[in-house]
């Protein structure tokens, strides 16, 4: 007997199927006749995808700068898995790990290469904070929690240290099994060309569509040669919307050149969740629908692509044996006005609306799902 059977779930290619879950895993897909403890008929009206993964959040509640609760940016918004991008370093990763064990959302961490984490904006201005032994010990203590490293490479973070923190990050990466390395880009120095030339296959450039002068496009609107070379080597582009790192103009121009994001992420924390412009991962995803990506492209960026980029082997796909993490959502036709991190507006007519998340086989309605009460889980 299955634990949960979703009947007539609409997939993003608009096919309709049944999905059965047992023991925290996807047990069967297709036309299913077996009994289940609970059956929910979605009547072909509601979309179901693999659980959404937000590759870049800040949800360490004890951070003095960028903080939130894991479930506030995760399960309550239809997101089943979040990856905290460098809020904690080696000094506070143990505390963060303990907190996440109480969350419903599945939480992972990109370890800040500064052992003090994000206690201030300039955590890489003091090279003494970049302690390779502390990083190695933290990774060894939490091998299933730390899924990568994070280096914030903009002038306000590195101070007078230029490219040196990234050089050290690459050395630490090699010492720790070539974990994925996410690199924040922003104002220079260091110059983006220096950053891109140091990156290798599997590394991630986040804030890829920021509107700052040190962006991926040249003044003439072409992709920088160094970024072209990096993408050719297998470097991945992550959105990381945030409060100051996403421009509609840059995104439209880059996507028009065929430079699509590998992952769509929010860079969410309490302030930009409550006050905007981020609000939620669904809101950020909706912006990319408005720019011109298709629904399957957008969903792939928060499921399969996200799981592959961070080596989450049993997530991101609707397939037998994968984690029973699902997101149930609607794509609603309604007028909506979006804003980017530069306060530019974009009028759109579609909004992704998460109704529920299923995490390890258990269902949780979002606020919208509870208010509308279209089904029970």
């Amino acid at each position: 007997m299955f634990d949960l059977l979703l009947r007539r779930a609409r997939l993003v290619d608009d096919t309709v199927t049944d999905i059965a879950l047992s023991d925290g895993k996807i047990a069967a897909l297709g036309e299913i006749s077996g009994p289940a403890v609970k059956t929910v008929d979605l009547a072909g009206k509601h979309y179901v995808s693999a659980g959404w993964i937000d590759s870049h959040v800040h949800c360490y509640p004890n951070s003095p700068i960028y903080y939130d609760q894991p479930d506030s940016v995760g399960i309550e918004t239809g997101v089943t898995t979040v990856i905290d991008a460098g809020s904690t370093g080696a000094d506070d990763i143990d505390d963060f790990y303990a907190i996440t064990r109480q969350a419903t959302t599945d939480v992972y961490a990109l370890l800040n290469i500064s052992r003090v984490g994000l206690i201030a904006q300039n955590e890489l201005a003091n090279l003494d904070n970049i302690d390779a032994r502390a990083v190695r010990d933290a990774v060894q203590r939490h091998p299933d929690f730390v899924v990568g490293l994070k280096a914030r490479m903009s002038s306000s973070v590195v101070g007078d240290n230029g490219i040196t923190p990234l050089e050290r990050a690459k050395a630490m990466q090699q010492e720790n099994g070539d974990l994925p390395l996410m690199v924040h880009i922003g104002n220079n120095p260091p110059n983006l060309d220096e950053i891109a030339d140091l990156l290798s296959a599997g590394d991630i450039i986040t804030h890829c569509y920021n509107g700052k002068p040190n962006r991926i496009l040249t003044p003439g609107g072409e992709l920088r040669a160094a970024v072209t070379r990096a993408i050719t080597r297998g470097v991945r582009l992550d959105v990381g919307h945030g409060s100051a790192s996403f421009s509609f103009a840059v995104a439209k121009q880059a996507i028009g050149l065929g430079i699509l994001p590998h992952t769509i992420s929010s860079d969410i924390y309490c302030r930009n969740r409550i006050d905007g412009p981020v609000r939620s991962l669904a809101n950020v995803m909706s912006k990319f629908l408005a720019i011109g990506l298709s629904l399957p492209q957008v969903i792939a960026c928060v499921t399969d692509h996200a799981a592959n980029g961070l080596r989450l082997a049993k997530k991101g796909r609707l397939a037998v044996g994968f984690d029973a993490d699902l997101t149930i959502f609607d794509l609603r036709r309604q007028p909506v006005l979006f804003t980017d991190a530069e306060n530019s507006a974009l009028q759109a007519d579609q909004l992704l609306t998460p109704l529920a998340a299923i995490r390890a086989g258990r269902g949780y309605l979002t606020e919208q799902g509870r208010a509308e009460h279209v089904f029970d889980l």
Side-chain angles (χ1 to χ4, degrees):
M1 179 178 288
F2 301 120
D3 296 331
L4 177 62
L5 177 58
L6 300 178
R7 289 206 179 279
R8 294 191 289 171
R10 182 168 295 278
L11 307 184
V12 295
D13 63 0
D14 281 322
T15 59
V16 176
T17 190
D18 300 338
I19 305 170
L21 312 177
S22 287
D23 299 322
K25 299 291 181 181
I26 297 173
L29 297 105
E31 190 171 331
I32 299 169
S33 58
V37 175
K38 185 175 184 63
T39 299
V40 178
D41 190 349
L42 300 178
K45 296 178 180 179
H46 308 292
Y47 285 100
V48 178
S49 71
W52 294 351
I53 301 168
D54 196 335
S55 302
H56 184 159
V57 309
H58 292 283
C59 65
Y60 176 43
N62 295 334
S63 171
I65 302 178
Y66 303 121
Y67 55 86
D68 215 323
Q69 296 290 334
D71 288 341
S72 295
V73 301
I75 208 79
E76 293 175 12
T77 66
V79 176
T80 58
T81 300
V82 299
I83 293 84
D84 185 278
S87 300
T88 55
D91 289 353
D92 45 13
I93 191 70
D94 297 339
D95 182 48
F96 185 34
Y97 176 78
I99 290 170
T100 64
R101 298 312 90 183
Q102 307 304 312
T104 299
T105 309
D106 205 10
V107 184
Y108 298 89
L110 298 174
L111 185 72
N112 198 312
I113 63 167
S114 167
R115 64 179 303 151
V116 301
L118 271 174
I119 63 169
Q121 290 282 10
N122 62 343
E123 76 269 17
L124 298 179
N126 181 353
L127 293 178
D128 290 339
N129 289 333
I130 308 174
D131 186 328
R133 177 175 291 182
V135 166
R136 182 195 64 203
D137 290 348
V139 171
Q140 289 179 351
R141 289 197 306 276
H142 301 291
D144 297 323
F145 179 56
V146 175
V147 295
L149 304 177
K150 174 74 180 292
R152 299 200 311 139
M153 294 301 300
S154 56
S155 57
S156 60
V157 180
V158 302
D160 297 328
N161 291 327
I163 202 69
T164 300
L166 184 56
E167 292 172 337
R168 295 196 179 183
K170 291 297 291 180
M172 288 188 287
Q173 179 186 39
Q174 294 173 8
E175 293 166 3
N176 290 279
D178 285 322
L179 286 170
L181 171 64
M182 178 180 282
V183 179
H184 151 126
I185 59 171
N187 290 317
N188 59 324
N191 189 275
L192 179 54
D193 295 342
E194 288 184 276
I195 294 170
D197 281 339
L198 276 178
L199 302 182
S200 50
D203 290 343
I204 302 163
I205 293 174
T206 192
H207 309 315
C208 66
Y209 299 134
N210 77 66
K212 298 169 185 176
N214 197 35
R215 59 178 174 257
I216 65 171
L217 300 178
T218 68
E222 299 173 343
L223 188 67
R224 287 181 184 237
V227 177
T228 299
R229 292 192 298 269
I231 293 172
T232 301
R233 290 195 301 274
V235 173
R236 303 166 69 90
L237 300 182
D238 174 64
V239 170
H241 186 304
S243 301
S245 299
F246 177 69
S247 161
F248 285 138
V250 172
K252 287 179 181 178
Q253 200 167 14
I255 289 169
L257 295 172
I259 311 305
L260 274 62
H262 294 89
T263 47
I264 295 174
S265 67
S266 65
D267 188 18
I268 198 168
Y269 73 109
C270 64
R271 186 173 299 172
N272 66 31
R273 172 173 60 84
I274 296 168
D275 298 335
V278 174
R279 304 291 182 187
S280 67
L281 179 61
N283 197 56
V284 177
M285 294 160 64
S286 299
K287 294 178 184 183
F288 280 86
L289 291 174
I291 289 171
L293 267 62
S294 68
L295 180 62
Q297 285 176 313
V298 168
I299 296 300
C301 284
V302 299
T303 54
D304 185 51
H305 295 181
N308 288 344
L310 293 164
R311 304 177 187 172
L312 303 176
K314 289 297 182 180
K315 295 188 184 295
R317 288 177 57 196
L318 288 178
V320 172
F322 275 64
D323 288 354
D325 293 356
L326 311 175
T327 300
I328 304 174
F329 64 96
D330 287 345
L331 178 57
R332 300 193 172 173
R333 298 283 178 178
Q334 63 183 76
V336 57
L337 185 67
F338 294 121
T339 55
D340 64 10
E342 300 189 333
N343 207 32
S344 294
L346 179 64
Q347 184 69 50
D349 59 4
Q350 295 184 101
L351 187 65
L352 284 164
T353 305
L355 301 174
I358 297 172
R359 165 78 189 105
R362 291 194 59 185
Y364 305 87
L365 295 176
T366 64
E367 182 179 357
Q368 193 77 24
R370 290 191 298 270
E372 298 181 4
H373 201 70
V374 291
F375 51 79
D376 291 316
L377 274 177

